[in-house]
Amino acid sequence: MTVDQTAGSTLDFFVAPLGEAALLHAGGLARELRRGGASVEVAAGAKLKRAMELANKLGARYALILGDDEIAAGEYSLKNMQSGEQRRVTREELLRLQ
């Protein structure tokens, strides 16, 4: 698990990759989000339920779910951790959220 945040700061995105291919994809996506100024944490090897618990515990604004289906479709599942709303977003839409 990587941490890219300073003490007391808000975590913008918690990325939950589902599988090895998604983990590789998540690394590049996290790097891109960080370049835009977002704080990002990637959960490596966690099951989805555990990843969502971690995102909540860390106070993440959004949880980003990446799986084979999402990568193939070019859309990711983005969950607003405060409201619970979940929707599909493209990479471009995601980068604009910062």
Side-chain angles (χ1 to χ4, degrees), residues 57-95:
K57 182 178 179 179
L58 293 172
R61 288 176 42 217
Y62 297 102
L64 186 63
I65 302 163
L66 304 179
D68 293 339
D69 293 341
E70 287 82 4
I71 293 169
E75 292 185 329
Y76 312 114
S77 293
L78 182 71
K79 181 174 183 173
N80 181 314
M81 295 302 290
Q82 186 172 17
S83 70
E85 174 193 358
Q86 188 167 322
R87 62 188 173 110
R88 302 277 282 203
V89 295
T90 65
R91 188 180 202 108
E92 292 74 28
E93 290 171 314
L94 182 63
L95 295 173

Side-chain angles (χ1 to χ4, degrees), residues 8-71:
S9 68
T10 301
L11 181 62
D12 294 311
F13 295 98
F14 186 88
V15 183
L18 307 176
E20 287 300 313
L23 181 58
L24 292 173
H25 190 84
L29 184 58
R31 188 170 35 258
E32 211 171 332
L33 288 165
R34 288 179 184 128
R35 282 188 194 138
S39 58
V40 181
E41 177 140 354
V42 178
K47 301 277 187 206
L48 184 57
K49 182 178 179 180
R50 176 68 180 137
M52 292 298 104
E53 289 170 354
L54 272 170
N56 193 45
K57 182 178 179 179
L58 293 172
R61 288 176 42 217
Y62 297 102
L64 186 63
I65 302 163
L66 304 179
D68 293 339
D69 293 341
E70 287 82 4
I71 293 169

